[in-house]
Amino acid sequence: MSVRLGVNIDHVATVRQARATRDPEPVTAALMAQNAGAHGITVHLRGDRRHIQDRDVRLLKEVLSVPLNVECAASSEMLETLIPMRPDWVTLVPETREELTTQGGLDAIFLQAHLKPIIRELRTSDIRVSLFIDPIADQVTMANRLEADAVEFNTGVYSDLPRSADPKVELERIAKASRLAGKLGLRALAGHGLNLQNVRLIAAIPEIEELNIGHSIIGRAVLVGIDTAVREMINAIAEARS
Ligand code: PXP
């Protein structure tokens, strides 16, 4: 089975917001990524709307033919905003105002009472739910108990390892958690900090179905164009499974 690539286009909106103008248009970037073979598009609708705006989500849902995944905080404001827009997936992530990007996974055990009705409401609205969690068995078990459809494993610790470090322990943690997710019938996704250099070892984990990658693809797209950047990543992922 090949691994699907979800391209996170938040950084395109970040450049647009730097001047509060219309360019570059995230919808155009998403369509170009889709054309290059992306299997899905991901955006993070943050509470402070620092990059992606509500209108981006609305337009993306209208024009994309691949699934749209919206990352967001588990809040009632996000439910009210997103449910009418009907994204295909919602990925619940921890969110704090000061962070540059998502820090660590959601603590599904600590937050279980809060998450339960939110997950139920999304699923009854025909929106599939993924939980961004650290690769820890108890978190996977809780995601299953909360009836999430998928878990996305935080690869941030693996991605942040110094080049000289042996990634074996961290990879085994992710592989073990992925096997458990597979056994429980949860789809296993992964992402955070993945790039052309470190993606192969994660893509080689058999239970991982999809990778969500943003920074490295959009960063590379500035230099070589989004079409090339997406194709390069798809090829790197495919090589890992061949
Ligand atoms: N998955 C989740 C849940 C994220 O919050 C992010 C960052 O927005 C990513 C994947 C993509 O991470 P990166 O931009 O480092 O590729």
Side-chain angles (χ1 to χ4, degrees):
M1 189 181 62
S2 60
V3 185
R4 294 159 55 85
L5 172 65
V7 176
N8 180 314
I9 58 161
D10 292 351
H11 284 3
V12 179
T14 298
V15 176
R16 177 191 60 191
Q17 297 308 113
R19 287 291 169 90
T21 54
R22 284 176 169 264
D23 296 309
E25 171 56 64
V27 175
T28 309
L31 289 172
M32 290 176 80
Q34 176 180 277
N35 244 3
H39 304 93
I41 298 294
T42 295
V43 292
H44 186 165
L45 187 68
R46 297 189 71 99
D48 62 10
R49 305 299 196 271
R50 71 169 76 149
H51 41 55
I52 292 294
Q53 306 297 308
D54 297 23
R55 74 55 106 174
D56 300 326
V57 179
R58 248 192 320 273
L59 289 176
L60 286 166
K61 178 60 192 166
E62 204 175 311
V63 303
L64 287 174
S65 43
V66 293
L68 173 65
N69 170 37
V70 181
E71 296 170 4
C72 67
S75 69
S76 49
E77 188 233 331
M78 280 299 147
L79 283 190
E80 277 164 34
T81 306
L82 286 173
I83 285 178
M85 298 187 197
R86 293 281 188 274
D88 301 277
W89 283 86
V90 160
T91 299
L92 298 174
V93 300
E95 190 177 295
T96 58
R97 278 191 175 266
E98 304 75 27
E99 70 191 2
L100 291 176
T101 182
T102 314
Q103 299 292 321
L106 203 62
D107 187 343
I109 299 165
F110 180 68
L111 292 170
Q112 56 183 293
H114 175 71
L115 291 174
K116 199 173 177 167
I118 291 179
I119 294 171
R120 184 159 297 162
E121 192 170 343
L122 287 164
R123 293 190 79 226
T124 52
S125 308
D126 264 345
I127 298 171
R128 281 169 290 171
V129 182
S130 178
L131 301 186
F132 183 64
I133 57 171
D134 292 321
I136 297 169
D138 288 350
Q139 295 289 344
V140 179
T141 308
M142 182 51 69
N144 185 52
R145 203 173 300 158
L146 291 170
E147 298 181 359
D149 298 279
V151 284
E152 178 176 336
F153 292 116
N154 175 20
T155 53
V157 174
Y158 162 77
S159 302
D160 287 343
L161 287 174
R163 269 178 205 211
S164 54
D166 184 351
K168 218 168 84 191
V169 172
E170 202 44 44
L171 280 169
E172 187 45 36
R173 242 161 63 90
I174 298 168
K176 209 169 144 194
S178 303
R179 285 194 292 273
L180 176 59
K183 220 181 281 171
L184 294 172
L186 281 165
R187 295 177 64 174
L189 286 57
H192 220 275
L194 297 177
N195 57 37
L196 285 173
Q197 284 72 47
N198 65 17
V199 74
R200 288 177 179 82
L201 292 175
I202 295 289
I205 297 171
E207 289 79 11
I208 301 263
E209 293 185 25
E210 187 169 322
L211 300 175
N212 272 316
I213 306 181
H215 180 82
S216 70
I217 293 178
I218 303 304
R220 183 118 178 98
V222 172
L223 305 176
V224 300
I226 194 159
D227 189 273
T228 302
V230 171
R231 286 178 201 274
E232 283 175 348
M233 189 57 79
I234 288 173
N235 289 341
I237 291 170
E239 271 169 35
R241 285 280 171 107
S242 63

